[in-house]
Amino acid sequence: MVSTQKTKQQSKNRSIEEFTSDIKLLTKEVQDLYRLDQIPWVIGYSGGKDSTATLQLIWNALKELPKDKLTKTVHVITTDTLVENPIVSAWVKNSLKKIEVEAKSQDLPFETHLLQPAAKETFWVGLIGKGYPAPKGKFRWCTERLKIKPSNHFIREVIRQSGEAILVLGIRKAESTKRANRMERYEAHRVRKHLSPNMNLPNSLVYSPIEDWQNDEVWLYLMQWDNPWGYSNKDLLTMYRGASADNECPLVVDTTTPSCGSSRFGCWVCTLVSQDKSLSAMIQNDEEKAWMEPLLDLRAELDTPESRNMRDFRRRNGKVQLYERNLEGSVSIEPIPGPFTKAGREYWLRRLLATQETVRRTAPPEMRDITLITTEELSEIRRIWLEERHEFDDRLPTVYREITGKPFKDPRPGADQSLLGLDEWNILEDLSDGDAMELELMAKLLDTERQYHTKLNRKGIYDALEKCFETSSRSPEEAIANAHRKRELKEAAAAGDVAKVKQLTWSDLKFGDSPDS
C-alpha cells in the first residue's frame, strides 16, 4: 500500500496536465462504476468545496453517458441541522433548488433531499426543552442527533428498498492526518479503487473519488471547470474568502502560500470550538453581514461559566451525582451540574426569541424571514415542559407573546386543552410559600394524577407517584448531604470498614433510605 505521505507528495507535485489527466481517468471510473449494477447512489452534499467538487465530477461524468444508460437514481442529500450558519444555509438551499431544476432540464437521474433532525432531536429542543447544557467535549450530545441520525435514516431507507447503497463522499486524506489514517485502514478491505466498506452502515459502500486531491487542486477544479447545474463556483470561493480571517483565499503555489481550504462552516451555536472563526470573519470582512452579530453574542453567552448558575443540582433522572472538582488548588466534592432549571430554560427561550426578532429587523430583505427556532420545535419544547417536567403553568405561549407580540399557534392537536393551568399553578405557589422543592413536588403529584386520569388503564400510577417523592421530596441541602453519605458508605464498604458501614447504614435508615438504595 502506498503511504499517505508519499501520496500527498505525488499529489503536490502534479502539474495541471497531470491533474487534467487524472480527472479524465476519474470520469471513466465514475461511468464504469455507475453502469456496473443497479445499486443506487447517495451523494453527501454540504455546499462546501469538497462536496461541490465531488458532485460536479459525478454530474459531468454521467452527463457524457447515453440517456439509456442512466438507469438508476443518484440521491443528493443535505442535512440541515436548523442551526447552520445562515449565509451558508441559504447558499445550500438555493443550490439544491438549482440542482433539482437542472437535473430535470438535462434529463439526469439526480434527486435532491433536504434532511432535518426530528423535532424531538433538535438543538433547541435539547437545550431549552430538556435542559441540556451547551455541548462540550465530554458531553457532545448534538452531533449524533443533528447530523448523523437524519442522514443514516435516509440511507437505511434506501438500503431497505434496494438491498444496498453506495455513499459518495468528498472526503480527502489531505483534510487531516486522522482522516488519512482512517481511510488507509479501510483501503485494506476495498472492493475496488476508491470504494471502501462502510463500517457504520451494513450493506453499503463508500465511494471517495477525490480522496487524493489537495486543497489547491479542489479549487483549481472548481474554478477551471464550469459548474454543470449553473451555480457560481466563484461565489463559493468568495464565501470561503469572506470566512477567512485575512480575507484571502488564493490558489496555493508553494508551501508558504496560505489557503482557505481549512475554512469550516458549521453550526452557529457550536460550543465545541473556542470561537466560530468563519462567522466572525464574515462579519469582520463585510459590514453588510453585521446583522449576524447577535448570533455571536448568544453563542458566546451559551459558552460562559456563568451558565452553571442556571442549572439544577440534580441530573435529569432526579438523582444527585457527585464529582471531584479542582477549586483553587484544593479538591471539592460537589454535585455534577444537571440540566437547566425552569427559570434557566425560560431565560434561553427569551434570549433566542429576542435574537430572532433582532436579526429579522436588521437582516437584508432576502434574509428577513430567517428562522432560528421553528414552530414545531417550540411545540415540542412546550410538550416537554408540560408533560415531562409537569410545569403546567404553560409559560411558553406567554413568553412567545411577550417577545414577539404575537400569539403562539401550536400545531399539535389538543395542545391547548388541559385540566390544570396557570390558576392552579398560582395556588400551589401560594401554598409552597417560596419553597421551590415543595412547589415542584406538588406540581409533579398533581400533574401525574392528571396524566393518568385521562388513561383507560391506570396501571403504574403508584410507581409514578413514588418517583415524584424520590426526586423532589428533599431540600437541595438534604439531597446533597444524602449523596455524600451514600458516597462514604460505598467507600467504607470497599475498604472493608464494617463499623463505618453500620454507622452510615443506620444514618441512612434514619434519613429515610433503605440500606441498599
Side-chain angles (χ1 to χ4, degrees):
M1 183 186 298
V2 180
S3 70
T4 302
Q5 189 62 39
K6 185 176 179 181
T7 303
K8 283 185 177 181
Q9 191 61 42
Q10 288 174 340
S11 184
K12 284 183 179 180
N13 293 337
R14 288 197 298 189
S15 64
I16 293 179
E17 291 76 15
E18 290 172 326
F19 181 59
T20 302
S21 177
D22 181 52
I23 291 175
K24 291 180 180 178
L25 292 173
L26 281 174
T27 299
K28 181 67 165 53
E29 177 182 288
V30 169
Q31 293 171 339
D32 291 344
L33 184 60
Y34 177 84
R35 292 183 297 178
L36 185 63
D37 49 49
Q38 289 301 307
I39 300 175
W41 286 13
V42 179
I43 301 180
Y45 176 70
S46 68
K49 67 182 193 311
D50 295 334
S51 63
T52 298
T54 301
L55 177 56
Q56 182 169 307
L57 181 70
I58 302 297
W59 189 299
N60 286 333
L62 298 189
K63 188 169 62 174
E64 295 179 4
L65 289 176
K67 296 302 181 184
D68 62 343
K69 300 297 183 183
L70 301 176
T71 57
K72 64 183 182 184
T73 302
V74 178
H75 301 280
V76 180
I77 64 171
T78 294
T79 302
D80 177 14
T81 63
L82 301 178
V83 282
E84 299 291 332
N85 178 312
I87 300 298
V88 178
S89 179
W91 165 273
V92 174
K93 289 175 182 177
N94 289 332
S95 178
L96 284 179
K97 292 176 183 177
K98 289 283 290 183
I99 291 170
E100 186 176 3
V101 169
E102 285 303 312
K104 291 179 180 178
S105 174
Q106 299 177 35
D107 197 18
L108 293 173
F110 295 96
E111 290 185 5
T112 61
H113 307 270
L114 182 62
L115 312 179
Q116 294 179 341
K120 64 180 180 180
E121 301 279 3
T122 70
F123 180 85
W124 293 120
V125 168
L127 191 138
I128 299 176
K130 299 176 181 177
Y132 293 155
K136 289 293 183 184
K138 293 183 178 179
F139 188 41
R140 190 170 181 161
W141 56 267
C142 53
T143 307
E144 175 77 17
R145 291 174 169 85
L146 305 188
K147 293 179 178 290
I148 298 174
K149 280 188 177 180
S151 58
N152 280 359
H153 176 76
F154 180 89
I155 296 167
R156 286 193 181 98
E157 185 61 23
V158 172
I159 294 172
R160 188 186 68 80
Q161 294 180 4
S162 304
E164 297 176 275
I166 292 178
L167 182 59
V168 185
L169 299 177
I171 53 177
R172 296 181 301 111
K173 295 175 183 176
E175 289 180 80
S176 67
T177 302
K178 184 177 180 180
R179 172 60 62 81
N181 291 337
R182 186 177 182 183
M183 291 176 70
E184 280 200 339
R185 288 200 302 271
Y186 290 166
E187 285 180 13
H189 307 284
R190 280 196 161 167
V191 178
R192 56 190 294 168
K193 190 175 182 181
H194 298 143
L195 196 62
S196 306
N198 188 342
M199 300 302 183
N200 299 315
L201 290 172
N203 297 334
S204 65
L205 298 169
V206 174
Y207 181 47
S208 49
I210 68 167
E211 63 181 34
D212 294 319
W213 290 16
Q214 297 298 304
N215 291 336
D216 56 318
E217 291 178 329
V218 175
W219 285 117
L220 178 64
Y221 178 64
L222 293 174
M223 293 302 103
Q224 298 302 318
W225 278 259
D226 291 336
N227 184 296
W229 57 92
Y231 222 43
S232 174
N233 288 341
K234 290 183 179 179
D235 287 348
L236 178 63
L237 177 65
T238 300
M239 188 166 65
Y240 268 83
R241 181 187 292 119
S244 301
D246 54 5
N247 201 21
E248 292 291 337
C249 192
L251 295 181
V252 176
V253 294
D254 56 45
T255 55
T256 64
T257 306
S259 170
C260 69
S262 60
S263 297
R264 286 291 182 269
F265 300 113
C267 303
W268 66 268
V269 294
C270 185
T271 49
L272 295 171
V273 293
S274 59
Q275 181 187 11
D276 188 336
K277 295 181 180 179
S278 64
L279 184 57
S280 299
M282 279 186 175
I283 296 171
Q284 173 188 318
N285 295 331
D286 187 352
E287 61 181 16
E288 293 185 359
K289 292 185 173 65
W291 62 272
M292 293 191 293
E293 285 186 4
L295 303 186
L296 286 180
D297 295 339
L298 178 54
R299 182 257 170 221
E301 190 174 352
L302 284 170
D303 201 24
T304 56
E306 286 74 16
S307 67
R308 288 172 62 101
N309 300 328
M310 294 188 285
R311 292 168 63 184
D312 203 330
F313 66 94
R314 299 159 296 180
R315 309 307 297 271
R316 286 196 75 237
N317 60 10
K319 296 182 179 180
V320 178
Q321 188 172 346
L322 304 176
Y323 78 117
E324 295 182 358
R325 182 184 179 194
N326 193 330
L327 194 63
E328 298 179 355
S330 61
V331 175
S332 175
I333 301 176
E334 303 176 3
I336 296 175
F340 286 115
T341 61
K342 184 177 188 294
R345 287 178 275 115
E346 182 175 321
Y347 173 82
W348 290 123
L349 177 62
R350 288 181 176 276
R351 280 287 286 116
L352 178 60
L353 291 174
T355 299
Q356 180 171 269
E357 291 297 299
T358 299
V359 296
R360 283 180 173 177
R361 288 194 304 269
T362 58
E366 67 273 14
M367 298 293 290
R368 289 287 167 85
D369 62 346
I370 184 172
T371 299
L372 301 185
I373 183 168
T374 66
T375 300
E376 290 72 24
E377 289 177 280
L378 289 167
S379 176
E380 177 62 13
I381 289 170
R382 184 188 187 192
R383 186 199 66 77
I384 292 172
W385 287 7
L386 286 169
E387 297 181 9
E388 297 181 16
R389 307 298 297 187
H390 305 287
E391 295 162 358
F392 53 80
D393 56 337
D394 199 13
R395 288 287 296 164
L396 188 141
T398 302
V399 172
Y400 186 88
R401 184 176 61 251
E402 289 175 355
I403 300 298
T404 69
K406 302 174 184 177
F408 177 64
K409 298 179 180 179
D410 199 318
R412 274 188 306 124
D416 296 317
Q417 299 174 6
S418 177
L419 296 175
L420 298 172
L422 182 58
D423 291 342
E424 289 77 13
W425 187 273
N426 289 337
I427 292 173
L428 293 188
E429 282 190 320
D430 291 340
L431 291 174
S432 64
D433 195 25
D435 189 326
M437 295 302 292
E438 185 174 342
L439 171 61
E440 180 182 289
L441 177 59
M442 289 191 295
K444 281 185 174 182
L445 290 172
L446 275 175
D447 196 54
T448 298
E449 167 59 30
R450 177 198 64 80
Q451 291 182 17
Y452 276 88
H453 176 78
T454 61
K455 297 180 179 180
L456 294 176
N457 187 347
R458 289 167 60 87
K459 182 180 179 181
I461 185 173
Y462 294 116
D463 290 337
L465 292 173
E466 181 66 27
K467 188 176 181 180
C468 296
F469 284 102
E470 289 176 359
T471 59
S472 305
S473 61
R474 296 189 178 108
S475 69
E477 294 76 18
E478 290 174 329
I480 293 171
N482 189 51
H484 279 279
R485 274 191 288 272
K486 288 183 177 180
R487 179 188 176 96
E488 292 176 17
L489 177 60
K490 186 176 181 180
E491 292 176 347
D497 190 338
V498 178
K500 191 164 187 177
V501 166
K502 290 181 178 179
Q503 177 189 356
L504 289 169
T505 301
W506 173 245
S507 174
D508 283 341
L509 285 170
K510 289 192 297 181
F511 196 76
D513 278 334
S514 61
D516 59 348
S517 59

